[in-house]
Amino acid sequence: MAAVGLGIPLVVTAMPEFGMLAIGAVAASVTDALGGGTVTQFIVFAVVSVALIAVVRPIANRQRAGRPELRSGVDALKGRQAVVLERVDGRGGRIKLGGEIWSARSLDGERSFEVGQQVDVVEIDGATAVVM
């Protein structure tokens, strides 16, 4: 019964530690079915739960830390390439970025890009792509 009681918060909170405690409770139930006393059941519960938390949690944390970050919105546009539609310089211009037409300006105000050139988007400043 304790396994079910610990399984409910696992589903509601998505905290895997509750699942590990639930597995410890199942191990204690098996100990009871095999004729183990209350003290033995508690020891089995504690050992299995702590062992799972000590082993599984660091592995899960490493997996979570190693995931590539999902970029969306304006952040997803940084670093992409675009094509110049109207001459781009320090004052402005137009590019095609991700299938859409954007206002653009050169990162280096002295540099300009001609129609058809490929440029890299360095950042997005409001509704203007800053390119180089």
Side-chain angles (χ1 to χ4, degrees):
M1 192 61 161
V4 173
L6 290 167
I8 292 170
L10 168 67
V11 173
V12 173
T13 64
M15 291 181 61
E17 290 82 3
F18 283 115
M20 295 173 214
L21 292 173
I23 293 171
V26 168
S29 297
V30 170
T31 303
D32 180 44
L34 296 174
T38 306
V39 173
T40 307
Q41 291 174 43
F42 178 76
I43 291 171
V44 167
F45 169 76
V47 168
V48 170
S49 298
V50 169
L52 282 171
I53 290 172
V55 172
V56 174
R57 195 165 184 217
I59 293 170
N61 285 338
R62 276 195 305 270
Q63 290 293 328
R64 193 175 318 141
R67 275 191 199 148
E69 141 186 351
L70 178 64
R71 298 184 327 166
S72 63
V74 207
D75 290 330
L77 298 174
K78 293 178 186 174
R80 293 194 51 190
Q81 286 194 334
V83 177
V84 176
L85 298 177
E86 293 176 12
R87 184 173 189 269
V88 175
D89 56 25
R91 292 185 312 274
R94 296 251 185 248
I95 61 170
K96 187 166 191 171
L97 172 62
E100 298 177 343
I101 297 174
W102 280 74
S103 297
R105 67 177 164 78
S106 175
L107 177 64
D108 178 7
E110 303 296 316
R111 189 155 181 210
S112 64
F113 302 96
E114 299 303 323
V115 174
Q117 273 188 286
Q118 293 276 333
V119 291
D120 294 318
V121 177
V122 178
E123 66 181 85
I124 303 293
D125 182 18
T128 303
V130 180
V131 299
M132 60 179 260

